[in-house]
Amino acid sequence: MGERIAVIPASVLRNLSDKLYEKRKNAALEGGLIGLAAATVGLTSEAAHHLEQIVPPVLKAFTDQDSRVRFYACEALYNIAKVVREDCIVFFNDIFNVLCKLAADSDTDVQSAAHLLDRLVKDIVTESDQFSIEEFIPLLRERMNVLNPFVRQFLVGWITVLDSVPDIDMLGFLPDFLDGLFNMLSDSSHEIRQQADSALSEFLQEIKNSPSVDYSRMAEILVQRASSPDEFTRLTAITWINDFVKLGGDQLVPYYADILGAILPCISDTEEKIRAVARETNEELRGIKSERTEGFDVGAMVSIARRQLYSEWERTRIEALLWLLFLLNRYRTEVLYFLNDIFEALLEVLSDPSDEVVLLVIEVLACVAKDQQHFQHLVASLLRIFQFDNSLLKKRGFLIIRRLCVLLNAEKVFRQLSNILQGEVDLEFASLMVQALNLILLTSSEVSELRRLLKDSLVMPSGKDFFVSLYASWSHSPMSVISLCLLAQNYQHASMVIQSLVEEDINVKLLDQLDKLINLLETPVFAYLRLQSMIFGPLSFLNLRDMYGC
């Protein structure tokens, strides 16, 4: 009896006879815990047969309000586990549960005791062939979003240990706790961030070396984390995405749109490292030869690119337009099916403050307008927005029309514009539009061939036909039609138009147009006209200033 009593500390024996009930109760628990541990040690090899009676009471004591009881519970379970080793694996989930709670215990002594027990349990698990990872993963997943720093360290520690065991396939279950690890990258504790980053780096290396990985489930997590407000989390996520795009193959095809949605904002990230990785990933994604691969959703890709047209960042808008251009060139039929979803957005972006963005928009629109139906729709739409947004016509009109002339054939563009303007009922807009087109016709290098065509209009049928196709709409602006006649060297008709104007009331707008025409007559475009005047004598229609007193 004396030896048995010696196992129990004197403080416990003293409290067993204390006048306070709580002290007597706790002493009984402490003594009982020590007794159970002592019994297990005494039973040695036979102890495994009695664990159902020994372990549950100890586990129950871990939730006691008294810290000394929790401390003795740790000590008791440590001694029990040390004796029975892997036989206690059947209680692993329950043990893990209590250890997880004790990791954040308010008492430092209890925390220290729990750490010792935790290390022993880890050693037992790594040596055991009875541990069930399938049963453990739900328990781990359930706790991965806990914010307590001590619990986070505890969880990362277990993930790292289990991943080091060759017979345990933690990589196969990575999607179950990947989001939790990413969540820890933004922890306020530098140590936790480092531990999470180290674990993630190790898993990424394993992915690179593994012949079989479930990329799809993890791709969803990475896409979400790529938009994290935390810079380090974004960088890690976009780095993973970069490797996934290179490694994932057909598994990632259904996620291309989501990945694109993650990449495009990161291309304009404030952090250069993130921008660099995003640019590389973007090029990798665009370089994948996905010729109508099953699961490749062109509509989703178009939708993502369209959404990013409204990004506040210029580089992102540019890349979104490059993607639309890429998709049009590779999957034209499919993209045109979704044309209604993007056409109006493209027209709106013509007002973008960036010239580079506007030029790309025009290129995308020109790509859409390769066939006659879409070409007519585009020209009509442009005239409509110029009509309702006069500032766009003034700021971007010249750039838009000149670029379209390069991309879609200048003569075709001018003919179509003229054809629509001919019947325009808004005469003021028609006049402004014709004046703009006339100035482009007279001055822009992109339409130099049209000027040559008009100069030959008296001798070449094609030139005459082009002159006639413009004449009706150019008549909305008297000075424009005069310059058209002069360009076509139809001086007799130009003179008739000028004489008819003399008989009309002269207003400020007409005088302003006249002044612009006179200035144009002095430009290199009409050098031949001035030369002809010198050779053949003054031409009456050149004395415009005298005729109008200006």
Side-chain angles (χ1 to χ4, degrees), residues 304-370:
I304 290 293
R306 176 191 176 280
R307 193 182 310 154
Q308 294 302 328
L309 292 178
Y310 299 103
S311 167
E312 61 179 309
W313 305 109
E314 179 185 358
R315 191 69 248 167
T316 294
R317 300 196 299 275
I318 288 171
E319 290 300 329
L321 288 163
L322 288 172
W323 266 100
L324 287 175
L325 199 58
F326 167 80
L327 292 169
L328 270 166
N329 286 325
R330 184 173 285 191
Y331 309 102
R332 178 177 177 80
T333 302
E334 291 92 331
V335 174
L336 291 181
Y337 181 80
F338 300 99
L339 183 60
N340 290 338
D341 296 334
I342 60 170
F343 193 75
E344 290 300 321
L346 289 168
L347 292 177
E348 288 177 21
V349 182
L350 286 172
S351 301
D352 196 278
S354 164
D355 283 348
E356 189 176 355
V357 170
V358 173
L359 287 170
L360 268 174
V361 173
I362 298 167
E363 194 169 346
V364 174
L365 289 170
C367 191
V368 169
K370 285 181 178 178

Side-chain angles (χ1 to χ4, degrees), residues 239-488:
T239 301
W240 275 61
I241 289 173
N242 182 285
D243 285 313
F244 273 33
V245 169
K246 295 173 184 175
L247 301 167
D250 292 343
Q251 277 195 57
L252 282 184
V253 172
Y255 298 92
Y256 279 177
D258 292 333
I259 291 172
L260 180 62
I263 292 170
L264 289 178
C266 286
I267 283 175
S268 302
D269 200 276
T270 54
E271 171 56 46
E272 169 55 30
K273 290 181 181 178
I274 296 175
R275 293 199 301 272
V277 178
R279 286 194 298 267
E280 181 184 323
T281 311
N282 189 49
E283 291 308 312
E284 287 282 345
L285 191 63
R286 198 148 50 206
I288 292 173
K289 306 297 182 185
S290 52
E291 295 295 339
R292 292 172 172 78
T293 306
E294 185 178 353
F296 183 66
D297 192 339
V298 174
M301 298 287 281
V302 170
S303 178
I304 290 293
R306 176 191 176 280
R307 193 182 310 154
Q308 294 302 328
L309 292 178
Y310 299 103
S311 167
E312 61 179 309
W313 305 109
E314 179 185 358
R315 191 69 248 167
T316 294
R317 300 196 299 275
I318 288 171
E319 290 300 329
L321 288 163
L322 288 172
W323 266 100
L324 287 175
L325 199 58
F326 167 80
L327 292 169
L328 270 166
N329 286 325
R330 184 173 285 191
Y331 309 102
R332 178 177 177 80
T333 302
E334 291 92 331
V335 174
L336 291 181
Y337 181 80
F338 300 99
L339 183 60
N340 290 338
D341 296 334
I342 60 170
F343 193 75
E344 290 300 321
L346 289 168
L347 292 177
E348 288 177 21
V349 182
L350 286 172
S351 301
D352 196 278
S354 164
D355 283 348
E356 189 176 355
V357 170
V358 173
L359 287 170
L360 268 174
V361 173
I362 298 167
E363 194 169 346
V364 174
L365 289 170
C367 191
V368 169
K370 285 181 178 178
D371 58 81
Q372 186 61 21
Q373 175 191 350
H374 291 106
F375 171 73
Q376 292 176 343
H377 179 53
L378 170 60
V379 175
S381 298
L382 284 174
L383 286 175
R384 187 184 75 245
I385 63 170
F386 286 151
Q387 183 175 5
F388 289 102
D389 188 357
N390 192 248
S391 62
L392 179 63
L393 175 59
K394 291 178 181 178
K395 293 177 183 177
R396 299 290 195 192
F398 280 57
L399 176 67
I400 293 168
I401 294 168
R402 288 165 58 191
R403 188 61 185 156
L404 282 178
C405 285
V406 172
L407 296 169
L408 291 175
N409 182 285
E411 183 180 346
K412 183 180 178 182
V413 171
F414 266 76
R415 283 180 180 271
Q416 186 64 28
L417 286 165
S418 177
N419 183 53
I420 298 173
L421 287 169
Q422 183 177 328
E424 178 57 57
V425 294
D426 185 343
L427 299 182
E428 185 176 355
F429 166 69
S431 177
L432 286 173
M433 193 69 219
V434 166
Q435 289 174 53
L437 292 173
N438 187 61
L439 188 57
I440 293 171
L441 181 63
L442 294 176
T443 62
S444 298
S445 59
E446 292 88 347
V447 297
S448 57
E449 286 298 321
L450 299 186
R451 291 195 288 273
R452 277 193 283 273
L453 186 62
L454 286 170
K455 285 178 184 178
D456 295 334
S457 63
L458 296 179
V459 293
M460 295 287 291
S462 58
K464 183 179 180 181
D465 180 60
F466 184 55
F467 174 81
V468 172
S469 72
L470 299 184
Y471 186 86
S473 59
W474 256 239
S475 296
H476 285 300
S477 168
M479 295 307 160
S480 295
V481 81
I482 291 171
S483 62
L484 179 67
C485 292
L486 296 179
L487 194 59

Side-chain angles (χ1 to χ4, degrees), residues 22-38:
E22 284 299 320
K23 283 192 176 184
R24 294 198 305 274
K25 187 185 85 168
N26 289 332
L29 282 170
E30 294 167 14
L33 289 167
I34 295 169
L36 286 171

Side-chain angles (χ1 to χ4, degrees), residues 131-184:
F131 176 75
S132 173
I133 186 65
E134 291 81 4
E135 292 179 14
F136 169 68
I137 288 297
L139 201 65
L140 176 65
R141 183 176 59 232
E142 187 180 312
R143 286 158 177 75
M144 282 304 293
N145 289 318
V146 172
L147 298 179
N148 186 281
F150 297 108
V151 175
R152 283 185 161 183
Q153 284 184 307
F154 170 79
L155 295 173
V156 176
W158 267 100
I159 291 170
T160 304
V161 166
L162 293 176
D163 188 48
S164 68
V165 181
D167 294 333
I168 297 177
D169 180 24
M170 284 295 279
L171 185 59
F173 293 96
L174 181 56
D176 290 287
F177 55 87
L178 180 64
D179 191 59
L181 282 175
F182 266 92
N183 206 25
M184 295 179 192

Side-chain angles (χ1 to χ4, degrees), residues 175-227:
D176 290 287
F177 55 87
L178 180 64
D179 191 59
L181 282 175
F182 266 92
N183 206 25
M184 295 179 192
L185 291 176
S186 58
D187 195 277
S188 57
S189 165
H190 177 70
E191 187 177 356
I192 292 174
R193 292 199 303 272
Q194 273 194 327
Q195 289 176 345
D197 180 48
S198 178
L200 285 168
S201 298
E202 182 61 34
F203 278 119
L204 185 57
Q205 192 58 46
E206 290 176 31
I207 288 170
K208 292 177 182 179
N209 298 327
S210 175
S212 177
V213 176
D214 182 3
Y215 290 96
S216 56
R217 283 179 63 198
M218 290 188 284
E220 296 177 13
I221 296 168
L222 298 176
V223 164
Q224 293 175 353
R225 290 297 174 176
S227 61

